[in-house]
């Protein structure tokens, strides 16, 4: 019979066993002859962890945008799209997370529409995770240029002279 720390597994020489997870598993095989004499032997089966390679992440190239001139200096928002990708050589399904420099999650998809206010340099991180919690990250910088504005041209007309009439 075969047994382990959970008790008897089976009463035959061949014994199918299912274990969950990697580790060392000890089994004792005990054989008893018709006269009641027995002998036991212990075998250790080592189950290696499943091989899993981490995914890769690509947040795309750094980008630059300009706030559109709309005639209102108080509106300075701009919306742009972050386009990233991930891959996994094991073919595992992937989850995505875009975060900004303040660690705020912006999206949970590979493509993310973002609205920012004001000209500045904005940093974002794309994290790609597989079901085994292996994660890869990549950063992208988006530079937002201020709204263009050309100074107006003032024209008061041609120089003119006037004569004041004498009274």
């Amino acid at each position: 019979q075969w047994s382990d720390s959970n008790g008897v597994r089976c009463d035959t020489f061949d014994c199918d066993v299912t274990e969950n997870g990697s580790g060392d598993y000890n089994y004792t095989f005990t054989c008893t002859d018709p006269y009641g004499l027995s002998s036991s032997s212990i075998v250790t089966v080592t189950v290696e962890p499943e091989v899993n390679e981490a995914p890769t992440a690509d947040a795309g190239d750094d980008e630059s945008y300009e706030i559109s001139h709309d005639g209102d200096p108080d509106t300075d928002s701009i919306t742009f799209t972050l386009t990233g990708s991930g891959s996994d050589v094991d073919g595992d399904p992937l989850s995505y997370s875009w975060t900004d420099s303040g660690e705020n999650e912006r999206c949970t998809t590979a493509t993310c529409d973002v609205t920012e206010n004001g000209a500045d340099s904005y940093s974002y991180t794309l994290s790609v995770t597989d079901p085994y919690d292996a994660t890869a990250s990549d950063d992208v910088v988006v530079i937002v240029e201020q709204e263009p504005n050309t100074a107006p041209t003032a024209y008061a007309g041609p120089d003119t002279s006037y004569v004041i009439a004498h009274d």
Side-chain angles (χ1 to χ4, degrees):
Q1 80 179 10
W2 285 100
S3 61
D4 64 9
S5 61
N6 294 321
V8 174
R9 290 291 192 133
C10 54
D11 288 325
T12 61
F13 183 73
D14 293 321
C15 187
D16 293 327
V17 177
T18 300
E19 297 289 359
N20 291 317
S22 61
D24 291 333
Y25 297 95
N26 296 311
Y27 305 98
T28 302
F29 178 68
T30 304
C31 61
T32 305
D33 69 13
Y35 298 98
L37 295 176
S38 63
S39 177
S40 296
S41 179
I42 297 175
V43 62
T44 300
V45 175
T46 301
V47 177
E48 298 294 334
E50 183 175 358
V51 176
N52 180 57
E53 290 193 37
T56 59
D58 182 359
D61 295 330
D62 292 348
E63 296 285 340
S64 181
Y65 299 96
E66 184 176 82
I67 298 172
S68 296
H69 183 77
D70 63 359
D72 183 352
D74 292 330
T75 58
D76 64 351
S77 67
I78 185 169
T79 299
F80 49 88
T81 301
L82 301 172
T83 303
S85 63
S87 63
D88 188 273
V89 296
D90 301 316
D92 295 327
L94 300 173
S95 61
Y96 298 88
S97 175
W98 282 101
T99 54
D100 60 24
S101 57
E103 299 298 318
N104 301 302
E105 186 171 66
R106 299 312 267 309
C107 294
T108 57
T109 56
T111 302
C112 183
D113 291 331
V114 175
T115 299
E116 294 291 4
N117 293 309
D120 207 343
S121 177
Y122 298 95
S123 298
Y124 304 94
T125 300
L126 173 64
S127 296
V128 179
T129 305
D130 72 10
Y132 299 88
D133 287 330
T135 300
S137 297
D138 190 33
D139 299 326
V140 66
V141 174
V142 176
I143 296 172
V144 175
E145 303 289 342
Q146 67 184 11
E147 179 177 346
N149 186 41
T150 304
T153 303
Y155 179 66
D159 289 345
T160 305
S161 333
Y162 295 97
V163 175
I164 299 176
H166 184 37
D167 342 297

